[in-house]
Amino acid sequence: MTSNRSPYFPKMERDVKTPIFGVRQLSGVHVSIGSTTELFRGAPRVNLSLNPYSDTPANTMIRNLHALMERDPSIAASLGELDEAQLIAAAIQRRRRQADLDELRAVAEDPTSNEGRLQKLVQRMTWIFGGEFLLGTARRNLTVRDQLDVALIRPDGTLHGVELKQASIKKLVTGHRSHLIVGPEVHAAVGQAMNYLRELDEKRHQILADLRIDCRRASMTVVIGHSGLITNAVSSREVDETIRTYNSYLSRVSVVTYDRLIENAQRTLDLASLAE
């Protein structure tokens, strides 16, 4: 109820009643207007309040919602059926992945970054390779002598390993007569990946019995170098062409540079954003 004073009649006041909400019975006991309230004695009291806005920070609201869903799993199931909830979850995931990708890009472009720093980032963002990341215990116990930097399970159930090397490789691609070939550090990294695959093949039955992982068709990706950090006069296009030619003669091992890996991941994020 509000009281408004008319500008033309200062002494006249008028009461305006505006309905805020209405209540309509959907099911239950029919109660006519003016009937007794005995039916509602002992019923739980429900308090209604209007809250057109809130000054609660968004992160606090999300934490509260997360705690509520942990206490009552049925709430999470109900929210999962809402299109809006799925959109919010996708937006949060995309934003987190974009932040991780930006950080990886900055570290990969830093010539002082070492393998450990790059490995720490990549291990938490294995979505850039696809597949399902294995638990750390399984990764350490795959073989006795070697350890994968990143172990993935492809959708077809095969194991895919990732060997991470430094991004700053001065002779990533070098000249040989009138052509370009990959540098010696790329050859060494690929040789290491081949030895690891041989070890997986030899221990296949043991790994299958202990971890239920079939390594018979395992493959490897070697991430090494960055076309923007080489010192010789070779363009990014020439680096891509040289590595593409090199990969065409390999069977279970492929080589990719950090800048191409990041570019492909960025394209995936951009396409996902357009699809929403």
Side-chain angles (χ1 to χ4, degrees):
M1 177 182 295
T2 60
S3 178
N4 297 329
R5 190 180 298 273
S6 171
Y8 301 103
F9 304 96
K11 295 183 179 181
M12 179 180 292
E13 293 183 355
R14 48 195 182 124
D15 294 334
V16 180
K17 296 181 179 180
T18 302
I20 298 177
F21 58 85
V23 178
R24 182 167 60 91
Q25 180 175 325
L26 296 179
S27 62
V29 180
H30 176 74
V31 180
S32 60
I33 299 177
S35 64
T36 179
T37 59
E38 290 295 331
L39 293 173
F40 300 99
R41 293 187 185 276
R45 181 180 296 274
V46 178
N47 295 323
L48 300 178
S49 62
L50 295 178
N51 188 18
Y53 65 90
S54 174
D55 56 358
T56 305
N59 55 353
T60 302
M61 297 176 64
I62 292 175
R63 291 193 187 98
N64 293 339
L65 179 59
H66 180 262
L68 182 62
M69 289 189 295
E70 286 187 336
R71 291 195 302 267
D72 189 354
S74 63
I75 295 179
S78 299
L79 289 176
E81 298 176 358
L82 298 177
D83 293 339
E84 292 80 2
Q86 296 176 7
L87 291 175
I88 292 174
I92 293 174
Q93 182 188 66
R94 187 176 67 252
R95 184 65 188 90
R96 174 61 61 86
R97 288 183 172 183
Q98 184 63 64
D100 289 342
L101 192 61
D102 293 341
E103 185 177 0
L104 178 62
R105 182 182 290 106
V107 173
E109 293 176 354
D110 183 0
T112 64
S113 298
N114 54 28
E115 293 180 23
R117 189 179 176 189
L118 289 164
Q119 181 177 341
K120 184 178 180 180
L121 286 174
V122 173
Q123 282 184 342
R124 78 177 190 218
M125 51 183 301
T126 55
W127 58 270
I128 61 178
F129 301 105
E132 182 180 353
F133 190 39
L134 293 179
L135 297 177
T137 53
R139 186 179 68 253
R140 288 192 296 269
N141 295 332
L142 281 175
T143 63
V144 177
R145 292 186 298 179
D146 299 308
Q147 179 178 339
L148 282 171
D149 290 336
V150 179
L152 305 168
I153 293 295
R154 289 187 180 276
D156 61 355
T158 58
L159 176 69
H160 184 80
V162 179
E163 182 65 30
L164 301 172
K165 296 301 181 181
Q166 287 190 357
S168 181
I169 305 294
K170 296 181 179 179
K171 292 185 178 181
L172 181 65
V173 170
T174 186
H176 180 70
R177 297 182 179 178
S178 59
H179 301 281
L180 292 173
I181 60 173
V182 297
E185 294 187 56
V186 178
H187 282 293
V190 170
Q192 180 182 352
M194 290 178 177
N195 288 333
Y196 196 91
L197 289 174
R198 183 182 62 189
E199 182 77 4
L200 291 176
D201 291 339
E202 293 174 352
K203 303 295 183 181
R204 177 207 167 207
H205 295 290
Q206 178 182 345
I207 296 173
L208 183 62
D210 295 342
L211 303 175
R212 296 184 179 180
I213 299 174
D214 192 351
C215 302
R216 177 174 49 187
R217 296 171 292 158
S219 56
M220 292 279 295
T221 292
V222 176
V223 186
I224 184 172
H226 191 293
S227 60
L229 298 178
I230 57 178
T231 57
N232 49 5
V234 179
S235 66
S236 175
R237 181 183 60 82
E238 291 174 319
V239 171
D240 291 341
E241 290 179 352
T242 303
I243 292 180
R244 188 180 302 114
T245 301
Y246 184 69
N247 282 331
S248 66
Y249 290 92
L250 299 176
S251 175
R252 297 169 62 185
V253 181
S254 62
V255 179
V256 63
T257 60
Y258 280 95
D259 49 323
R260 285 298 151 260
L261 180 67
I262 294 171
E263 180 181 316
N264 293 338
Q266 185 64 65
R267 187 178 298 111
T268 299
L269 284 182
D270 294 341
L271 290 175
S273 177
L274 292 175
E276 295 178 359

